[in-house]
């Protein structure tokens, strides 16, 4: 890794070299030291006023669905099928009670729970260890918070995912 001490010294003096905006090593440091530790604004509640409304947001390399579920609760979940990692929502915004993976048709409610595993009535070698209907699409690993004063939706993705 390159020694960035001179760049950091320039930034502290208020001089930001143009090349740092495209520096892959500095970006890797930002991902590790900034984005993995900070809450990131992803939406405003007014963007999803009705049950079923959603918006899709990207944070670094990850895509998230920010949705108001059928109970009116604001949720954030990975935009990813647990089966093969395909995006389950391809539109940037809309209203849906379910999200379906286009690859094999796994279906998730707008609260993140799996509701359908087509062609899998009994466990097979291919699905052994797969989530069962009612399992979440990683919402427990995304922290979403709405603030009372401004109705902002924030997420935080830790640098190391919990193992439970």
């Amino acid at each position: 890794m390159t020694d960035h001490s001179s760049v950091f010294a320039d930034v502290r003096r208020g001089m930001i070299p143009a090349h740092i905006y495209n520096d892959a090593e500095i970006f890797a440091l930002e991902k590790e030291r900034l984005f993995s530790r900070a809450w990131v604004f992803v939406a405003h509640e007014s963007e999803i006023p009705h049950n079923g409304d959603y918006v899709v947001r990207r944070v670094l390399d990850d895509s998230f669905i920010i949705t108001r579920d059928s109970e009116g609760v604001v949720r954030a979940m990975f935009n990813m099928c647990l089966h093969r990692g395909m995006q389950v929502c391809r539109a940037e915004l809309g209203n849906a009670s379910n999200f379906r993976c286009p690859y094999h048709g796994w279906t998730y409610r707008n609260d993140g729970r799996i509701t359908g595993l087509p062609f899998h009535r009994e466990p097979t070698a291919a699905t052994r260890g797969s989530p069962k209907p009612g399992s979440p699409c990683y919402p427990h690993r995304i922290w979403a918070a709405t603030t009372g004063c401004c109705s902002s939706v924030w997420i935080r993705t830790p640098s190391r995912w919990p193992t439970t």
Side-chain angles (χ1 to χ4, degrees), residues 70-86:
S70 57
E71 301 295 319
V73 177
V74 174
R75 304 212 182 238
M77 64 188 116
F78 273 114
N79 184 11
M80 180 185 78
C81 181
L82 294 171
H83 184 221
R84 298 284 185 203
M86 178 68 96

Side-chain angles (χ1 to χ4, degrees), residues 55-100:
V55 293
V56 173
R57 297 291 194 256
R58 292 198 63 78
V59 177
L60 299 175
D61 299 325
D62 296 316
S63 178
F64 299 93
I65 303 170
I66 313 304
T67 184
R68 187 174 297 275
D69 71 16
S70 57
E71 301 295 319
V73 177
V74 174
R75 304 212 182 238
M77 64 188 116
F78 273 114
N79 184 11
M80 180 185 78
C81 181
L82 294 171
H83 184 221
R84 298 284 185 203
M86 178 68 96
Q87 287 189 348
V88 295
C89 183
R90 294 181 163 217
E92 293 297 316
L93 57 95
N95 185 287
S97 59
N98 294 290
F99 300 102
R100 178 170 289 138

